[in-house]
Amino acid sequence: MKNHVQRVIAAVVIVFALQSHAASAQGVLGPVTVPPVPTEILVPAGNTVFLKGSAVGTQNYICQSSATGFFWKFVAPQATLFVNFRVGPYEITQQIATHFLSPNPVEGGTPRPTWQGSVDTSIVWGKAVASSTDPAYVASEAIPWLLVKVVGAQDGPMGGSLLSDATYVHRVNTSGGVAPSTGCSAAANVGALALVPYTTDYYFYKAR
């Protein structure tokens, strides 16, 4: 019972930090270190990392047809982001965001990859501006690493801005998520969905 209470207290601490501001969250979680990335997806100067979320979810595809045959078309991501931190002897895992496709109101409803804070509901929409499959960084059978530019943002209803301060997002350390090589080869397959498991780390940046 004592251990359970201590874990609950630790979770409450991080929830309040995440709800208040990105700077508070970084103070609780500690500094964020970005791994080396290919030069083609480097974040532009003038931006600094403030948050890392480790994601577990699926990359979703639909089977479609064309004049030349059948193919898996990417539809949307669906994932949950977590942070890990220590409070005394305890290792805590806390959900911080969800990731999905939604209309960006700043662009008149254009569908964009979306990250929404789980505590303060602040939200950002992004557009991939660079990618890399460099085998020196990206694992085989893994989706590319990405540099995503934030093209829309909103604070949460209570003014929370955990994510809405973001300017860029990195998708790195990917595993899985690649479209299937089978299951989309005939008219009977058209419309079939494939929810392919993946993991990745998302790093969020803001202007200095």
Side-chain angles (χ1 to χ4, degrees), residues 48-69:
T48 184
V49 68
F50 70 91
L51 185 66
K52 171 191 174 183
S54 296
V56 178
T58 58
Q59 296 278 298
N60 303 330
Y61 301 85
I62 187 169
C63 180
Q64 294 195 336
S65 63
S66 69
T68 57

Side-chain angles (χ1 to χ4, degrees), residues 127-139:
K127 176 182 179 181
V129 293
S131 68
S132 177
T133 57
D134 185 340
Y137 299 88
V138 184

Side-chain angles (χ1 to χ4, degrees), residues 64-76:
Q64 294 195 336
S65 63
S66 69
T68 57
F70 303 91
F71 63 98
W72 287 108
K73 180 181 179 180
F74 178 68
V75 177

Side-chain angles (χ1 to χ4, degrees), residues 41 55 57-61 74 76-79 99 131-134 137-146 171-180 196-202:
I41 65 166
T58 58
Q59 296 278 298
N60 303 330
Y61 301 85
F74 178 68
Q78 185 172 1
H99 180 40
S131 68
S132 177
T133 57
D134 185 340
Y137 299 88
V138 184
S140 60
E141 301 301 317
I143 52 177
W145 291 17
L146 296 179
R171 184 180 79 182
V172 301
N173 299 332
T174 54
S175 174
V178 177
V196 183
Y198 86 112
T199 62
T200 191
D201 291 327
Y202 290 107

